[in-house]
Amino acid sequence: MKKLLIAAFATVLMSGAALADTTLKLVEVITSPERTETLKSIVAKFEAANPGTKVEVISLPWGEAFQKFATMVSAGEIPDVMEMPDTWLSLYANNGLLESLEPYLAKWEHTSGLTDRALELGRDVNNTAYMLPYGFYLRAMFYNKKLFKEAGVTEPPKTMDEFVAASEKVSKLPGKYGYCLRGGPGGLNGWIMFGATMAGSNEFFNEDGTSTMNSEGWVKGLTWVVDLYKKGLAPKDSVNWGFNEIVAGFYTGTCAMLDQDPDALIAIAERMKPEDYGVTTMPKGPSGKTFPTIGYAGWSMMAASQYKDLSWKLIETLEGPEGNVEWNKRTGALPVHKSAEKDPFYASEQFKGWFAELEDKDAVPTAMPTYLEEFAFFKDSMVIKTSQQALLGDITPEEMANQWADYLTKAQQKYLAKK
């Protein structure tokens, strides 16, 4: 009997040790020091509420995240929870790598408090919540009031023509440029916005699945961006710039205009006085309309996780009203809980530009075709390579547009064939 008691006690100790050794792996892919610090702060609350469970936060640099995460998955190094950009969702969900969150949402006390848009976008693939969005990103135009005044620009540009004129004036100042061009990772949004704005439409495909990307209007828009760079209205090295570089280019006063989501406010508000910059609606094209991109990101559970209930508890902590608002106040996205609208933070002056853009009937929020499995590669690999070739003059804007259209046509027609 004594031996049995000793064995039983040893088993209890071993199970306790196993519990203490439980480690969840959490991958973040849209990274910055501020975001990682905030994420670890929220994760610490989860760890405190779940003794014996630790969370290993793995931060992948955004510019290399797509390739690095794909390599991790191929090597079997699969996390429990990951930050899922909208552009990756279809790829990983359609390949059976993500766990459905529907059973958990059905029982979660906060599901009814989520915005309809959050649930709709989270269920973008097969009407199943393979991701729970944490926030929305809407592009608007930052402008430097001091540089404008110095260059003789009296007001922020309302049209594409005014945008070029303002850029030309600012670029005459020594060491200054009109526009912070994002020629490197994440640059697709700018190409899409200006392409659609010049075309007067944000339709990516015709009814037969052929892409509109190489239509006359879209080519004009893509050419407009290339010409802006070739005329010296954006810094020469901006051909390689990603998020951190364009934001730094703006708050250091290198360039006067920047199209970005509210997350850029994090760094800008820390380094610029509120009276020195403003946020306004993206410039409008010949049709009188503009097409700012709207995107989202969220948290997903990997199907291979051995700790699914714990993983959901972690997502609960990140996505609950307290964690979600704390996260978005630091990341700059618009929260997914209806209750957040009453938070004084979002009624502040800095957000007026985005809300004004949302209210403008001629500013049409544009969601990219992220439902295509092939879209993640298109955005994070093909577009970067070909757009840099176009900016440097190695290929023409027309050649770039044809490559994009050919790739997207095949992807869309494949998608339509499965419906």
Side-chain angles (χ1 to χ4, degrees):
M1 178 62 73
K2 186 176 179 181
K3 289 182 179 180
L4 287 173
L5 287 173
I6 292 172
F9 184 63
T11 300
V12 170
L13 287 177
M14 288 176 65
S15 65
L19 181 62
D21 290 337
T22 299
T23 300
L24 296 181
K25 291 187 177 182
L26 169 65
V27 169
E28 62 162 341
V29 299
I30 309 175
T31 52
S32 71
E34 295 91 346
R35 294 172 73 98
T36 302
E37 178 187 343
T38 304
L39 179 59
K40 288 182 176 179
S41 170
I42 301 172
V43 163
K45 295 174 184 176
F46 165 80
E47 291 176 332
N50 295 273
T53 302
K54 298 296 180 184
V55 179
E56 178 187 352
V57 176
I58 302 167
S59 302
L60 303 181
W62 174 238
E64 306 164 17
F66 179 72
Q67 289 83 0
K68 283 184 176 292
F69 187 72
T71 300
M72 284 178 61
V73 171
S74 297
E77 299 172 11
I78 300 176
D80 299 281
V81 175
M82 73 161 294
E83 181 180 19
M84 179 63 69
D86 54 355
T87 52
W88 299 12
L89 180 60
S90 178
L91 175 65
Y92 287 101
N94 282 319
N95 281 284
L97 292 167
L98 304 182
E99 186 75 10
S100 168
L101 301 180
E102 295 293 351
Y104 303 99
L105 289 171
K107 299 176 183 178
W108 194 34
E109 62 180 317
H110 296 300
T111 300
S112 61
L114 295 170
T115 63
D116 293 341
R117 190 70 170 161
L119 289 169
E120 174 193 340
L121 293 174
R123 291 169 171 150
D124 191 49
V125 177
N126 299 325
N127 198 31
T128 302
Y130 288 112
M131 176 250 269
L132 185 54
Y134 59 62
F136 308 114
Y137 296 95
L138 176 69
R139 286 293 165 98
M141 185 66 68
F142 286 81
Y143 61 98
N144 186 314
K145 295 179 181 180
K146 290 179 71 174
L147 273 181
F148 271 14
K149 185 176 181 181
E150 189 178 348
V153 180
T154 56
E155 60 180 4
K158 295 181 175 63
T159 68
M160 300 271 276
D161 287 343
E162 290 176 5
F163 184 97
V164 173
S167 295
E168 289 174 342
K169 288 182 178 179
V170 172
S171 297
K172 289 178 181 177
L173 300 173
K176 305 298 181 183
Y177 301 88
Y179 179 48
C180 288
L181 172 72
R182 187 168 180 171
L188 177 61
N189 292 64
W191 296 99
I192 292 296
M193 286 189 294
F194 293 127
T197 297
M198 193 61 81
S201 170
N202 62 354
E203 293 294 330
F204 292 100
F205 302 101
N206 299 308
E207 286 188 14
D208 62 357
T210 54
S211 171
T212 60
M213 281 283 188
N214 58 353
S215 65
E216 182 181 357
W218 275 92
V219 171
K220 282 183 179 179
L222 302 180
T223 302
W224 183 90
V225 178
V226 171
D227 287 347
L228 203 72
Y229 179 76
K230 288 184 174 180
K231 290 176 182 176
L233 306 184
K236 187 175 182 179
D237 57 349
S238 66
V239 66
N240 294 310
W241 281 7
F243 175 81
N244 292 329
E245 291 82 8
I246 60 172
V247 174
F250 183 78
Y251 66 63
T252 58
T254 299
C255 35
M257 289 179 285
L258 165 73
D259 64 86
Q260 253 309 317
D261 311 312
D263 58 347
L265 276 172
I266 299 168
I268 292 171
E270 288 179 353
R271 296 168 175 85
M272 295 181 74
K273 296 177 181 178
E275 62 269 22
D276 289 343
Y277 69 94
V279 179
T280 189
T281 301
M282 291 293 294
K284 295 173 180 175
S287 69
K289 295 183 181 296
T290 185
F291 299 90
T293 53
I294 187 169
Y296 58 99
W299 302 107
S300 289
M301 184 193 305
M302 302 303 287
S305 172
Q306 296 179 18
Y307 310 107
K308 290 188 172 66
D309 287 343
L310 271 176
S311 294
W312 169 250
K313 284 186 178 181
L314 176 56
I315 293 174
E316 271 187 320
T317 305
L318 294 165
E319 290 276 13
E322 183 181 344
N324 184 243
V325 170
E326 179 184 349
W327 173 253
N328 285 306
K329 281 183 178 179
R330 294 294 295 162
T331 64
L334 303 173
V336 296
H337 290 273
K338 298 170 187 174
S339 58
E341 296 175 10
K342 300 174 184 176
D343 193 296
F345 180 82
Y346 293 100
S348 62
E349 183 71 26
Q350 60 189 1
F351 283 95
K352 283 187 177 179
W354 283 280
F355 291 127
E357 188 172 70
L358 284 170
E359 292 170 5
D360 187 339
K361 62 180 177 61
D362 292 321
V364 184
T366 298
M368 296 196 203
T370 55
Y371 57 85
L372 297 174
E373 263 187 68
E374 296 83 358
F375 189 77
F377 173 80
F378 174 72
K379 174 183 179 289
D380 292 317
S381 184
M382 182 180 184
V383 166
I384 298 172
K385 178 182 178 181
T386 54
S387 63
Q388 288 179 335
Q389 288 175 330
L391 290 169
L392 296 173
D394 296 331
I395 60 174
T396 66
E398 291 85 357
E399 288 172 329
M400 177 177 73
N402 284 331
Q403 289 187 49
W404 291 6
D406 181 59
Y407 183 87
L408 290 175
T409 293
K410 291 174 182 175
Q412 177 71 357
Q413 290 183 340
K414 173 185 169 185
Y415 170 78
L416 292 176
K418 291 181 178 179
K419 290 185 73 175

